[in-house]
Amino acid sequence: MQKLLIADCSEAYRTALTAALQSSYHVLSCRTGTEAWELLRRERPDIFILDLMLPELDGLTLLERACADGLHPMVMAVTPLLSPYVFQCAQRLGIAYLVRKPCDIDA
């Protein structure tokens, strides 16, 4: 079973996503960028659902570190702020999907 890491500061969002995905994936979750970095390095998930605005360590910086360390999970990033800068970073960092937050769990 593939590993999926959810990094989002919203407990409600993490809980809903976990419930929706746990039958298909081994789901790990955390609320801060620091926790996400530790789990990413230790667990090496196949898929990473990442809020770009995490406390302690933002999602873009986290992905820069991951790329520098050779970690390349498939990334779906969620963010309330979509800007040309975010799009450029998403392309550079290999983000596969970029979703505006809030979003429907089914999406």
Side-chain angles (χ1 to χ4, degrees), residues 9-20:
C9 60
S10 167
E11 184 174 348
Y13 186 72
R14 286 192 323 270
T15 300
L17 268 180
T18 298

Side-chain angles (χ1 to χ4, degrees), residues 36-56:
W37 175 236
E38 291 169 7
L39 282 169
L40 188 62
R41 287 188 348 214
R42 184 176 69 233
E43 298 292 335
R44 304 205 179 246
D46 303 292
I47 303 167
F48 190 15
I49 299 176
L50 173 65
D51 184 346
L52 295 181
M53 297 184 69
L54 292 172
E56 297 179 12

